[in-house]
Amino acid sequence: MNAPDSPPPGRLEHRAAEIDAAVRRAAARFTEVPVTETVILRLLVLLGREVAAMLEQALRPQGLNETDFRTLMMLFSQPDGVAHPSDLCAFVAQSPANMTRVADGLYERGLITRVASEEDRRRTILRITPSGEKLALSLLPQINAHTRAMFENMPRSQCNALLEQLHALIVQVDRRTEPASESAALSRPESANP
């Protein structure tokens, strides 16, 4: 029950309560379910989708989606405004084929340039253009306002604690996924290793 002065639960609060209840029902049928941890992961996914949708809505008037924006911001953040598509794939969590599509769209709009690398003609160099920088600079105040609004009622100490906890969770996920990557690399034939 809400306190007398608190607003009624919002859509996401309602969805979070549904997730919590569903996980608890599953745990009642299978007692090995780690309830707290499962709810945390489900809420992270819910929150990630909602934040991505909010970002998409803010970017839509500029003809960008979240991936376009993250790609543009990655280039904007580089001291020389340059990156290789393969570097961007990891940052924006896209496959090489999709990264090519994203780069094509940004190139067609004049927001980036593409040239072959002088060191390795098989590699492409992407560079943000002055138009791309101008667009990034025009979008940042709006995106930053959304970000600040999401955290406005959370004390700085809680923000820092949450950041620290997320980093710790990332380390744990890395530890769970790295052995598979390392064993796959070790099982490759020698000819496959550079």
Side-chain angles (χ1 to χ4, degrees):
M1 183 173 230
N2 291 339
D5 293 338
S6 65
R11 179 181 53 85
L12 285 179
E13 286 179 271
H14 181 70
R15 184 69 187 116
E18 291 176 337
I19 288 169
D20 188 84
V23 171
R24 290 180 191 287
R25 285 191 305 270
R29 296 187 68 197
F30 184 74
T31 59
E32 298 300 314
V33 172
V35 174
T36 300
E37 293 83 351
T38 302
V39 171
I40 288 170
L41 293 178
R42 295 275 312 273
L43 292 181
L44 283 172
V45 171
L46 174 68
L47 194 55
R49 287 180 181 154
E50 189 67 21
V51 170
M54 288 171 56
L55 185 56
E56 290 272 344
Q57 185 177 359
L59 296 170
R60 194 172 297 125
Q62 297 299 325
L64 296 175
N65 61 37
E66 183 190 14
T67 304
D68 297 333
F69 178 71
R70 284 185 289 150
T71 302
L72 201 58
M73 291 312 299
M74 178 63 173
L75 290 168
F76 179 80
S77 71
Q78 299 302 308
D80 54 1
V82 169
H84 296 283
S86 57
D87 301 331
L88 295 173
C89 285
F91 182 76
V92 298
Q94 297 294 316
S95 67
N98 201 42
M99 191 69 248
T100 298
R101 184 193 59 74
V102 170
D104 287 347
L106 295 174
Y107 175 78
E108 288 168 10
R109 291 188 58 191
L111 301 174
I112 65 169
T113 60
R114 288 186 300 212
V115 295
S117 169
E118 292 181 14
E119 294 84 32
D120 183 350
R121 302 298 285 175
R122 296 170 295 176
R123 293 192 76 189
T124 301
I125 296 174
L126 304 178
R127 180 184 305 272
I128 192 168
T129 64
S131 294
E133 286 196 17
K134 183 177 177 184
L135 179 58
L137 286 168
S138 74
L139 289 170
L140 280 172
Q142 180 184 6
I143 300 304
N144 290 342
H146 282 291
T147 301
R148 284 189 186 97
M150 281 186 262
F151 291 93
E152 70 185 348
N153 293 323
M154 187 180 284
R156 177 60 42 202
S157 60
Q158 287 182 1
C159 287
N160 290 336
L162 177 58
L163 181 60
E164 190 174 310
Q165 291 164 348
L166 288 172
H167 279 290
L169 184 57
I170 286 169
V171 168
Q172 289 298 108
V173 171
D174 266 350
R175 287 182 181 152
R176 297 289 304 160
T177 57
E178 283 180 3
S181 301
E182 290 170 6
S183 64
L186 294 175
S187 66
R188 283 191 215 126
E190 283 298 314
S191 60
N193 293 328

